[in-house]
Amino acid sequence: MPGDTVLGEAGHSTTILPGWRSWWLSAEAACRLGPRPIALFAWHRLRLATGIIRYALPDRPAPLGPFLPEASALPITPRDWHGPFDAKAHALDVLARPGADIRGLWEAHRLGPLLTLAHAAAHDPQGPHLDQAEALLADWAAANPPFRGPGWACAQEAALRAMGISLALALLGADRRLSPGTRDLLGLHARRIRATRAYGAAQDNNHPISEAAGLFVCGLLLGHARDRRAGARALSRAVARLVSPCGAFAQASPAYHRLMLDVLGIAEWFRRRHGAPRFGGAFAARAAAATQWLGRVMAPNGALPRIGPCDDSAFADLSGLGPGDARGSLERASRLFLGASASVPNDPGCRALGLTALLAAPAPQAAHWRSAGWFGLAGAGGARGVLRTGVPLRFRPGQADLLHFDLWDGNENLLRDGGSGAYLPPPGFDWWQNMLAGGLGHNLITFDDAEPMPRLGPFLFGRWPRCRAIPDGAKTRDWRGNRHARRVECRGRLWRVEDQVGGDFRDLALRWRLAPGDWKRIPDGVQSAKARITLAADAPFSLALIRGWESPAYGRVEPAPVLELRAQRPIRRIFTEIALPARMGGG
């Protein structure tokens, strides 16, 4: 996650609180984060302040090719690898004052086309693909000398790039016979990962997993036993800490769950390919559970709920399906960790990796399921719902989305989350963050038009609510004492959501964010060909179909219909009924 830190430092601040209150709330958030990440972050800052990290990342000559076996040198067509960022800035200084969102640039630095070219070259050795891949690597290496510019600013990005380069080499059968230039290139990436390992481990999100996996793969290919063992140990520890026995990931985001699973899959594939010892501890069991978890929330067409932070990563996408379709990711993980197919027997990504087709895994039988932070339900005709419970709330919430409810009817995301917009919106679009990551961006209740949690930084909220599980749902109590209990039930094609509230609030707003469509107001709700949604309550209320906003893809924000209920005390209960259209053949 770009610019992510334990206490919200990202080179820019979205803090809107007075200084003294921000410091007090940061201290309170630090207590909730726990001593381990705070100690690791403090250790990172000490090493940064004393110059140890900068000393570990000195200027070095750019690696020289050839990087790929039997590739011919092609004239290099220079690319813009730096965007608005200083190409000469030291890696540790690039994000000090970013001024622009770096996420799109980092996607280019992951060198995704390299895999496509390597895959094509393996099947067509006489074609131009190998030389084009060599030219791409040569251009990147020349334009991004070691530890200068945005390409080296993040250890996680270095790890993902190193794994991508290693995978390209493996597709060409060259991961056991590295050229001097390739050894130099991977060695520099391993050095970048090692330099800030404490920072990565402090994040308690995708950083420690990606960085450990990258160090492991680099050590494996370079024959550096120390890096291989250190990476394997760190990866096993990170998985044991961040992936629950039920398969849920610490970062409450299906998109980042997919990225985590992609990284685990590539690390496991390389481990098997090179005959390295098995990852220790609970790695195998947790990876299998995480695979099953992703299968529960994925739509038949591979779409994932856009709940939580979502930057549209599609790491090692040999299936070529892109960020909007996770079926290739699930198939690869299923074959590796479950020993079964996820019903994509002809997946080209698995074929490229030599993962043979297997019998399909049995479909889950339970209509309802719970995992750390989530509650899921299955209805008739392919309908399913996901409630973000936050139970238990062990790790920091990435968005103010506790008690958000997503409802899907097959591939249609009927009641949906707002998405992420951008981690650093364009100038003049700062409202994206509050509109999408704050209370307005989710299907939940806000009290007195106030945010559920005060924002302390781009990726940190203070005053986390207290969360508890209840039958068929969950409940929260926010820092102002407002209480909200949400129960969800489904009977065939009819879904009901009951919200109970309490506290010293003046008024509240309940929002249902709708799929785009021809929605029409009716006296007690809205209807379209997609569903009929009606509301009732134990006190007077007003209803309006208003224009909201959603982010269907990273960096893009579009209008979206929102059904908004407003009411004042003494309202205590609100009932929402969603009637889905009948499906042919029953349901």
Side-chain angles (χ1 to χ4, degrees), residues 1-2 103 105-110 150-163 189 192-193 206-207 210-211 259 311 313:
M1 183 181 292
R103 170 66 188 94
L105 194 61
W106 273 346
E107 184 65 33
H109 281 266
R110 292 181 185 181
W152 296 100
C154 176
Q156 176 181 228
E157 294 302 320
L160 295 175
R161 183 169 56 250
M163 284 189 283
H189 281 76
R192 176 64 188 90
I193 297 167
N206 55 315
H207 277 248
S210 300
E211 292 171 23
L259 175 61
D311 68 1
S313 289

Side-chain angles (χ1 to χ4, degrees), residues 570-584:
I571 191 168
R572 288 292 180 265
R573 301 175 77 187
I574 305 172
F575 305 90
T576 304
E577 188 171 276
I578 306 105
L580 303 178
R583 289 284 178 89
M584 295 297 293

Side-chain angles (χ1 to χ4, degrees), residues 109-466:
H109 281 266
R110 292 181 185 181
L111 302 179
L114 184 66
L115 287 181
T116 304
L117 291 169
H119 191 199
H123 289 81
D124 179 18
Q126 304 305 315
H129 316 294
L130 183 62
D131 293 345
Q132 291 170 352
E134 176 72 21
L136 176 64
L137 267 180
D139 183 39
W140 187 90
N144 297 276
F147 317 129
R148 293 282 169 178
W152 296 100
C154 176
Q156 176 181 228
E157 294 302 320
L160 295 175
R161 183 169 56 250
M163 284 189 283
I165 294 171
S166 300
L167 188 54
L169 291 166
L171 293 174
L172 295 169
D175 52 325
R176 293 185 177 90
R177 49 188 179 93
L178 307 183
S179 70
T182 304
R183 293 188 66 84
D184 191 12
L185 185 63
L186 290 180
L188 290 166
H189 281 76
R191 188 182 187 101
R192 176 64 188 90
I193 297 167
R194 289 195 303 267
T196 52
R197 286 182 63 196
Y199 172 87
Q203 300 308 308
D204 275 345
N205 57 15
N206 55 315
H207 277 248
I209 287 178
S210 300
E211 292 171 23
L215 187 63
F216 168 77
V217 171
C218 285
L220 202 60
L221 269 62
L222 293 169
H224 294 170
R226 184 174 180 180
D227 281 348
R228 174 179 60 78
R229 289 194 297 265
R233 285 195 303 268
L235 183 58
S236 298
R237 287 196 298 266
V239 169
R241 175 175 173 80
L242 301 175
V243 180
S244 299
C246 61
F249 185 35
Q251 201 166 3
S253 158
Y256 275 111
H257 190 109
R258 175 193 182 182
L259 175 61
M260 174 269 294
L261 208 53
D262 284 338
V263 168
L264 296 187
I266 296 304
E268 173 65 11
W269 184 81
F270 269 108
R271 183 199 69 76
R272 297 182 187 184
R273 179 176 172 85
H274 286 259
R278 293 177 182 271
F279 295 117
F283 179 92
R286 300 290 171 89
T291 302
Q292 294 171 325
W293 190 97
L294 190 70
R296 292 191 190 105
V297 303
M298 189 183 78
N301 66 353
L304 297 172
R306 299 187 71 81
I307 304 174
C310 179
D311 68 1
D312 291 337
S313 289
F315 174 66
D317 182 24
L318 288 169
S319 302
L321 298 175
D325 188 340
R327 284 176 293 181
S329 297
L330 183 63
E331 182 67 26
R332 178 169 57 201
S334 295
R335 295 192 191 189
L336 284 166
F337 301 127
L338 298 177
S341 171
S343 301
V344 190
N346 297 318
D347 177 61
C350 290
R351 190 184 312 119
L353 297 177
L355 298 174
T356 56
L358 301 163
L359 294 176
Q365 299 300 313
H368 298 357
W369 55 272
R370 279 191 185 271
S371 68
W374 306 85
F375 172 53
L377 307 91
R384 68 197 187 284
V386 180
L387 179 67
R388 170 82 170 102
T389 66
V391 182
L393 197 58
R394 289 182 55 213
F395 301 97
R396 54 182 164 147
Q399 294 189 354
D401 59 0
L402 295 167
L403 296 190
H404 165 84
F405 178 62
D406 239 49
L407 179 62
W408 291 69
D409 190 10
N411 293 322
E412 180 75 74
N413 190 184
L414 185 65
L415 301 179
R416 55 178 59 193
D417 192 273
S420 292
Y423 297 140
L424 182 55
F429 292 87
D430 291 345
W431 57 269
W432 282 12
Q433 288 194 325
N434 284 336
M435 175 62 68
L436 298 172
L440 294 174
H442 315 289
N443 295 326
L444 46 77
I445 288 176
T446 56
F447 297 95
D448 298 325
D449 287 325
E451 284 294 334
M453 297 179 282
R455 182 186 289 276
L456 304 180
F459 307 107
L460 183 68
F461 292 90
R463 294 296 193 102
W464 307 352
R466 297 179 182 178

